[in-house]
Amino acid sequence: MALSLDNIGLPNRADETLEGRYIMALDAGTTSVRAVIVDEYGGIVAQASRPITTVYPEPGWAEQDPMEILASQIAVMMEVQFKSGIHSDRIAAIGITNQRETTIVWDRESGLPIHNAISWQCRRTSGIVERLVAEGTAETVRAKTGLIPDPYFSATKIQWILDNVDGARAAADAGKLMFGTIDTWLMFNLTGGLVHATDCTNASRTMLFNIHTLTWDDDLLDLFNIPRSLLPEVKWSSDEYGSVSHEIMTYGPPITGVAGDQQASLFGHYCFEPGSTKNTYGTGCFMLMNTGERCVASNQGLVSTIGIARPGAVSYALEGSIFNAGAAVAWLRDKLGLLPRVEDAADICRQVSDNGGCYFVPAFSGLGAPWWDPEARGVMCGLTGATDRATIVRAACESMAYQGFDVLHAMEIDAGVRLSSLSVDGGASRNDFIMQFQADLLGIPVIQSEYVETTALGAAYLAGLAVGYWQDLEELEQNRVMAARFEPSAAECDVARALAGWHDAVSRARSHRTC
């Protein structure tokens, strides 16, 4: 059933007593789950988080335990209530945001997963994608979904589970299985199995959803051999999904906001107007530009996707996904022991005046936008006898900004606009060295959000709008607070020289050559 683009609206709960109440946001990320309580001013009152384990059964594979994700998410929901003294009777609504593309298939009757969640980072389905591309289906997929066929998206992960888990294909054909991204899995369990749904933004990342008609696409389901019965209902990002089971939260607050993490971040950055752009610096880097009612087809290696989907009004977005960003610095910490904490990276970078001609391309799982090269491998170029720990750490930090430049430059070409600023969030956005270097490369101001948790804030805003906690976007914008603004200060010739070295390093990563 297609979503209607008519402005159908939602039940107005503004007449209910909302004074002294709050919004809870659940942020189910790649490396941790979090619960955040937000007040009417967009302030974060309290939060709790727990780490999530990723396992790597084979090279290029990445999985997580769905039950660990669920148990950890419920645990932080409890913890944040007790930490803040704000319990379920004072929670007006709940918003959910999540790592996208990560795929879970579970038994409809028992509610138990039939396999670990296959992470968005997993590359096991590269062979499936290569066969599809060789068969000439790439343009069909792209025209309908806005996506470039890649193992990153959910469709081939579902197909792999059905074809490789004993009995899964027969069970799916008999209508006994359910599929969901992390938001769907959480909602199914939080509502006691009553809700099997997702929102437009998460659906748009499956490679099964037609972003123009806002429906699951029969041609794509046939292409990937996926029964329609597996799929969740698709709703608006600000909508009524059901209520949390009383066994989990005594007063059963409603779930009224759902969005994939990057779209939630776009909303949390107040990127409501066409041309407004944000970049999230986390495990990967994700840059989104709101393109409004216009779905821009990319010629520069980006994807078109649904950016914001409120009742009756869909805003599209251009997106560039960088697979390894903060992961590069974490790798230096965890695998090489070059720094004790990620938070120390900025100070270490400043111990050297430049990168000494050293470039680090962290293509641990291939390269994402704008290259989309799953076979690329990480390289470090330009090592000399003078290269030391600080130089290598600086090269890793600079790699985030270089990749950000490549994506934003592609975005400007596709959209035909020159950006005036870039809004940023995510853990690495607190690294002032990286943010200043990003501003220097782009030649525009970089605006740092007051809150790292902009993703959770976006989910809270979507949920609050649905119940009248906030009345409209104008009221939300009054909550905007800027932490810092980084102005470009580097000479153009220095920037050009640095970018030339970076692009040479990228070419080496793509051709598997060493330095």
Side-chain angles (χ1 to χ4, degrees):
M1 180 177 177
L3 287 170
S4 172
L5 288 177
D6 296 331
N7 192 6
I8 57 174
L10 288 167
N12 186 354
R13 300 190 182 187
D15 57 340
E16 297 184 10
T17 302
L18 295 173
E19 184 178 353
R21 303 183 75 187
Y22 299 84
I23 304 295
M24 178 182 286
L26 310 182
D27 184 354
T30 304
T31 58
S32 67
V33 295
R34 186 181 307 270
V36 177
I37 293 180
V38 177
D39 66 19
E40 62 185 302
Y41 305 107
I44 293 176
V45 176
Q47 58 183 302
S49 67
R50 288 196 178 187
I52 295 297
T53 304
T54 301
V55 296
Y56 305 93
E58 295 185 24
W61 292 29
E63 297 180 358
Q64 295 178 325
D65 180 355
M67 301 308 291
E68 179 192 1
I69 294 171
L70 174 62
S72 297
Q73 187 68 77
I74 293 174
V76 295
M77 292 169 68
M78 301 302 102
E79 181 181 346
V80 78
Q81 292 178 74
F82 284 100
K83 285 172 68 173
S84 65
I86 298 168
H87 297 283
S88 62
D89 60 325
R90 298 172 66 194
I91 301 298
I94 291 177
I96 297 176
T97 183
N98 56 287
Q99 52 165 310
R100 306 167 302 172
E101 297 96 16
T102 295
T103 297
I104 304 174
V105 176
W106 63 95
D107 183 272
R108 186 178 294 275
E109 183 174 345
S110 71
L112 296 176
I114 66 170
H115 191 274
N116 269 348
I118 299 181
S119 170
W120 61 269
Q121 300 168 305
C122 188
R123 310 300 293 176
R124 76 183 64 188
T125 61
S126 293
I128 298 175
V129 172
E130 289 169 3
R131 288 194 298 273
L132 290 171
V133 172
E135 292 167 1
T137 61
E139 282 309 310
T140 297
V141 170
R142 187 163 186 176
K144 291 174 177 287
T145 69
L147 307 177
I148 297 169
D150 191 86
Y152 177 38
F153 305 110
S154 306
T156 57
K157 303 180 195 300
I158 305 171
Q159 185 178 11
W160 187 94
I161 290 174
L162 297 186
D163 290 339
N164 288 275
V165 175
D166 288 345
R169 175 61 66 184
D173 289 340
K176 296 180 178 180
L177 299 182
M178 307 172 89
F179 151 74
T181 43
I182 299 298
D183 59 307
T184 302
W185 169 246
L186 291 178
M187 278 191 287
F188 178 81
N189 286 281
L190 292 178
T191 61
L194 297 179
V195 175
H196 183 217
T198 190
D199 84 302
C200 288
T201 67
N202 279 294
S204 73
R205 311 297 296 184
T206 61
M207 217 156 56
L208 298 171
F209 189 71
N210 189 314
I211 63 173
H212 308 289
T213 63
L214 304 185
T215 58
W216 298 117
D217 192 279
D218 287 329
D219 292 338
L220 296 175
L221 293 175
D222 290 342
L223 179 64
F224 293 102
N225 195 19
I226 295 172
R228 179 178 282 271
S229 61
L230 263 76
L231 303 178
E233 178 187 2
V234 182
K235 306 185 78 169
W236 303 111
S237 301
S238 188
D239 208 334
E240 296 203 343
Y241 285 85
S243 296
V244 176
S245 166
H246 296 292
E247 294 180 358
I248 297 174
M249 295 181 77
T250 304
Y251 285 85
I255 299 169
T256 55
V258 177
D261 51 10
Q262 302 314 317
Q263 284 92 341
S265 174
L266 188 74
F267 202 73
H269 274 290
Y270 313 96
C271 292
F272 305 143
E273 298 299 322
S276 51
T277 305
K278 71 90 192 178
N279 196 15
T280 296
Y281 298 79
T283 304
C285 253
F286 300 91
M287 187 179 295
L288 272 74
M289 173 193 284
N290 185 334
T291 62
E293 297 179 355
R294 183 170 63 116
C295 184
V296 177
S298 175
N299 296 311
Q300 300 295 318
L302 306 178
V303 300
S304 307
T305 193
I306 293 176
I308 299 171
R310 296 182 60 225
V314 171
S315 292
Y316 292 94
L318 279 171
E319 176 173 340
S321 302
I322 296 165
F323 296 153
N324 292 285
V329 179
W331 180 76
L332 296 184
R333 178 197 62 194
D334 299 336
K335 301 296 186 181
L336 301 187
L338 291 184
L339 68 166
R341 303 181 310 152
V342 167
E343 293 81 5
D344 299 326
D347 290 337
I348 295 172
C349 289
R350 294 190 181 98
Q351 293 175 9
V352 289
S353 59
D354 56 41
N355 67 8
C358 179
Y359 293 88
F360 180 16
V361 183
F364 300 139
S365 52
L367 286 171
W371 314 107
W372 292 102
D373 186 347
E375 302 305 320
R377 290 296 177 264
V379 300
M380 192 175 295
C381 297
L383 300 181
T384 70
T387 301
D388 58 11
R389 178 183 75 139
T391 304
I392 293 173
V393 172
R394 180 168 179 141
C397 288
E398 288 184 350
S399 73
M400 290 188 232
Y402 284 126
Q403 292 180 96
F405 171 88
D406 288 340
V407 171
L408 188 137
H409 181 63
M411 219 166 252
E412 289 182 327
I413 294 172
D414 276 333
V417 299
R418 168 66 174 159
L419 296 187
S420 58
S421 64
L422 175 68
S423 297
V424 299
D425 72 321
S429 72
R430 285 320 196 236
N431 183 317
D432 288 356
F433 170 82
I434 297 173
M435 294 302 100
Q436 182 58 57
F437 192 65
Q438 187 73 88
D440 290 342
L441 291 179
L442 297 177
I444 59 175
V446 169
I447 300 172
Q448 188 184 67
S449 170
E450 173 71 12
Y451 296 111
V452 173
E453 299 83 5
T454 309
T455 299
L457 192 60
Y461 283 168
L462 288 165
L465 285 168
V467 296
Y469 191 81
W470 296 286
Q471 294 303 310
D472 50 38
L473 300 183
E474 288 72 23
E475 183 178 352
L476 286 182
E477 289 201 85
Q478 296 175 18
N479 294 334
R480 187 195 298 259
V481 180
M482 179 179 67
R485 181 183 176 98
F486 298 86
E487 298 286 348
S489 59
E492 289 186 13
C493 59
D494 292 337
V495 170
R497 183 167 55 249
L499 287 169
W502 164 254
H503 289 134
D504 176 68
V506 169
S507 70
R508 295 171 186 270
R510 300 189 68 196
S511 63
H512 310 290
R513 288 187 289 118
T514 62
C515 296

